[in-house]
Amino acid sequence: MHQEIIQQLKKLNAIEPDAEFVRRSRNHIVSMKNEPAFAFPSFSFFPRLSLVGAFVFAGLLLAIFYPFSFSSNQTFSALSAKAINREFDNLSINMQLNEIKFDQNAHQTIAAAIMEITDMKTQHLSSQILESENVGMTIDETGNQIDELLNQVIN
Amino acid sequence: MKDEILLVQKAKNGDNKAFGDLYDYYLPKIYRFIFLKIGGRKQDAEDISHHVFTQAWENMSKFEFQGFPFGSWLYRIASNAVIDYYRTFKNHFDIDETAQETLARDSGFENRIDTAFDIELAKTAISKLEHDQQNVVIMKFIDELSTKEIAQALGKTEGAIRVIQHRALKQIKSHIDASRNNPTIKEA
């Protein structure tokens, strides 16, 4: 049955476009100018073109970034083991120097404090000042009462 | 087609005579495909065919040979053009009516075919198929493309094309059987 259907379908092959339409349509299309969008001599040229393009691009990148390559040495030196070791050595020396400086400051401060205590001329330890301060002080009655009460408790 | 690769290469370089030769060979096939896809509307089939070849000519530089005939590319353009056509005229279109009108208008067509009734029946059966089934049936049995070429044109695998073909023939058979048993079904 399928063969019979296929034979029927094949008869539709007789459908043809109108001759006048074909003539008009063909003339119109063929008269249209059609320039290739971008004319290359042949397809085999494409791989070569892309290779040349890659080299040109690489050269361009090199030309742009080469002047910066000197300054970049500084950045990369931070990653070398020797430079890191040298930096650590300097670090310990710096720490020791800081400690010495701190010790010196501490010693000076302590010495100054001792001097101040032992110095009788120091104002806040002067007996004359203490006496004058004592005179100025007023002892109220409540204080006397407290003293009496305390004495009673002791006795 | 003889010397197709050479003609395509010349057309890609802007040779309009070479494209004219490709036009002469492929136009009847593409026209037939479109004519049957849109239910036999002759005027529209002409307009769409012209549009397809204009598109092809304008985009020749983009075409690349991938081991398939140039026609596969044209069928793909035609298929898309038909989809666009249906999108535009979806609501103003009666497929059976126009097919009969076309036959009546083109009296020469009927004279060339002995079994006009069967032809009309086959056309109606095709119009009842799904979009992909129509494509496969027209390309395979009317324009006589190979399964490989159809697969390339429709962007499907050869296995998928065989499945679509089998289902389409089965559906055509059931439609023809039903029409013969009850002739009024054709007009339905």
Side-chain angles (χ1 to χ4, degrees):
Chain A
M1 179 63 190
H2 278 184
Q3 279 306 313
E4 191 189 330
I5 293 167
I6 291 166
Q7 288 308 312
Q8 291 300 323
L9 290 171
K10 281 183 190 295
K11 287 177 183 173
L12 292 172
N13 198 18
I15 296 169
E16 283 179 359
D18 183 67
E20 181 57 23
F21 156 72
V22 175
R23 192 188 60 77
R24 274 187 290 109
S25 171
R26 189 186 193 281
N27 286 344
H28 182 258
I29 291 170
V30 170
S31 66
M32 286 165 65
K33 203 173 180 183
N34 190 14
E35 294 294 331
F38 194 71
F40 288 109
S42 69
F43 289 109
S44 60
F45 186 68
F46 278 112
R48 260 184 282 165
L49 184 81
S50 47
L51 195 67
V52 169
F55 276 115
V56 168
F57 186 66
L60 202 68
L61 286 178
L62 201 67
I64 292 168
F65 292 107
Y66 185 72
F68 299 103
S69 60
F70 293 111
S71 60
S72 65
N73 283 342
Q74 215 169 6
T75 313
F76 292 125
S77 68
L79 299 173
S80 89
K82 281 182 184 174
I84 290 167
N85 284 333
R86 198 163 51 240
E87 206 171 312
F88 268 110
D89 290 343
N90 291 338
L91 194 67
S92 63
I93 290 164
N94 288 338
M95 282 173 71
Q96 284 167 4
L97 284 171
N98 283 337
E99 276 177 29
I100 290 164
K101 197 183 274 183
F102 173 77
D103 288 346
Q104 278 179 344
N105 288 339
H107 288 156
Q108 281 174 359
T109 311
I110 292 163
I114 291 167
M115 285 285 285
E116 197 174 337
I117 293 164
T118 53
D119 186 7
M120 290 305 286
K121 287 175 185 173
T122 308
Q123 247 189 351
H124 68 272
L125 295 173
S126 160
S127 56
Q128 286 177 344
I129 292 169
L130 289 171
E131 279 171 14
S132 66
E133 281 179 357
N134 197 24
V135 170
M137 283 177 72
T138 53
I139 299 166
D140 57 2
E141 287 181 4
T142 319
N144 291 332
Q145 285 174 356
I146 291 167
D147 286 345
E148 282 173 11
L149 286 169
L150 284 170
N151 286 331
Q152 282 176 10
V153 171
I154 293 163
N155 295 329
Chain B
M1 183 189 184
K2 199 185 169 188
D3 297 331
E4 183 171 290
I5 296 173
L6 186 66
L7 286 172
V8 168
Q9 195 54 54
K10 282 182 177 178
K12 274 169 73 74
N13 292 329
D15 185 338
N16 51 6
K17 189 184 174 302
F19 189 80
D21 290 345
L22 291 167
Y23 178 96
D24 292 340
Y25 181 77
Y26 281 110
L27 177 76
K29 291 169 183 283
I30 297 296
Y31 172 83
R32 200 154 39 232
F33 173 77
I34 294 166
F35 181 88
L36 289 167
K37 285 285 291 178
I38 64 168
R41 291 171 73 105
K42 188 183 169 188
Q43 189 64 52
D44 290 342
E46 288 179 353
D47 290 346
I48 297 169
S49 302
H50 181 75
H51 174 72
V52 167
F53 280 90
T54 306
Q55 288 282 304
W57 179 226
E58 286 174 351
N59 293 286
M60 270 310 289
S61 58
K62 293 176 189 167
F63 175 75
E64 297 289 344
F65 257 119
Q66 292 174 335
F68 300 99
F70 176 65
S72 299
W73 188 55
L74 291 175
Y75 276 106
R76 186 170 283 199
I77 298 172
S79 183
N80 290 334
V82 169
I83 291 168
D84 288 344
Y85 172 82
Y86 273 113
R87 275 192 199 132
T88 313
F89 299 106
K90 199 175 178 180
N91 300 324
H92 313 280
F93 186 62
D94 184 337
I95 212 163
D96 292 334
E97 196 178 304
T98 50
Q100 285 171 24
E101 276 176 8
T102 306
L103 275 181
R105 202 165 52 234
D106 188 4
S107 56
F109 175 76
E110 277 197 63
N111 293 337
R112 290 194 298 271
I113 305 297
D114 298 331
T115 53
F117 175 77
D118 286 344
I119 295 301
E120 177 59 19
L121 196 60
K123 279 178 69 176
T124 311
I126 288 172
S127 73
K128 303 286 182 193
L129 297 174
E130 287 173 18
H131 181 67
D132 276 346
Q133 291 176 334
Q134 286 181 348
N135 288 344
V136 171
V137 166
I138 297 167
M139 288 181 186
K140 180 76 181 178
F141 302 113
I142 302 165
D143 286 346
E144 297 180 332
L145 268 67
S146 70
T147 306
K148 201 174 179 180
E149 288 168 0
I150 298 168
Q152 166 68 12
L154 301 180
K156 295 182 185 295
T157 63
E158 290 182 52
I161 297 299
R162 285 192 196 95
V163 171
I164 293 168
Q165 177 188 316
H166 177 74
R167 286 179 184 161
L169 288 174
K170 210 171 161 184
Q171 206 166 316
I172 290 172
K173 181 184 177 303
S174 66
H175 180 80
I176 288 175
D177 287 348
S179 299
R180 281 177 177 160
N181 293 334
N182 182 11
T184 54
I185 205 166
K186 188 164 73 78
E187 282 80 33

